[in-house]
Amino acid sequence: QVQLVESGGGSVQAGGSLELSCLASGTHFVTVVMDWYRQAPGKTRDLVATTTRGGIPQYADSVKGRATISRDAGNTVNLRLNDLKVEDTATYYCHLVYQQMQDSPELQEWGPGIPVTVSS
């Protein structure tokens, strides 16, 4: 079983920066993609940034130019957000697509979510 542990959230003033980290742990899994999503109160859970299968990061328009997603050689994915805006306030979720072995069906796992509050 795979588990995701997120860290780095909290309260930040508008214009500031923060970095979120997510560690995937478990046995017998191969990471396919790691992403970050976010969900504001009363809204849908939306993709913020993804590492993609081709390795070229992609970003939501709302964070493009302000966000950087990176993945290390292991199973950690980081999301740095600069020039934070009040509208970045949300619960951020780490998302993992993985296989238990090469060529097996793809599975997915979500982290529990970590709150980010941006104040003006």
Side-chain angles (χ1 to χ4, degrees):
Q1 187 163 352
V2 179
Q3 290 186 322
L4 302 178
V5 177
E6 300 138 334
S7 61
S11 296
V12 186
Q13 286 206 315
S17 300
L18 62 73
E19 184 157 329
L20 305 177
S21 292
C22 174
L23 171 65
S25 63
T27 55
H28 306 300
F29 74 99
V30 177
T31 296
V32 177
V33 176
M34 294 186 83
D35 318 303
W36 283 96
Y37 284 71
R38 69 185 181 187
Q39 187 169 18
K43 297 196 173 180
T44 58
R45 187 176 298 188
D46 298 324
L47 181 67
V48 177
T50 177
T51 56
T52 77
R53 297 162 196 270
I56 300 175
Q58 293 181 358
Y59 302 93
D61 288 343
S62 58
V63 301
K64 205 168 287 184
R66 302 188 294 119
T68 302
I69 189 170
S70 60
R71 189 184 146 199
D72 67 8
N75 292 304
T76 299
V77 64
N78 301 306
L79 177 68
R80 181 168 182 85
L81 283 172
N82 297 318
D83 190 23
L84 283 160
K85 306 177 186 302
V86 172
E87 50 265 39
D88 292 320
T89 296
T91 297
Y92 285 70
Y93 296 89
C94 181
H95 175 248
L96 168 70
V97 178
Y98 69 99
Q99 296 171 299
Q100 290 181 314
M101 62 183 72
Q102 289 295 128
D103 299 325
S104 67
E106 291 184 355
L107 305 172
Q108 62 177 338
E109 189 64 49
W110 291 90
I114 190 164
V116 171
T117 302
V118 183
S119 56
S120 58

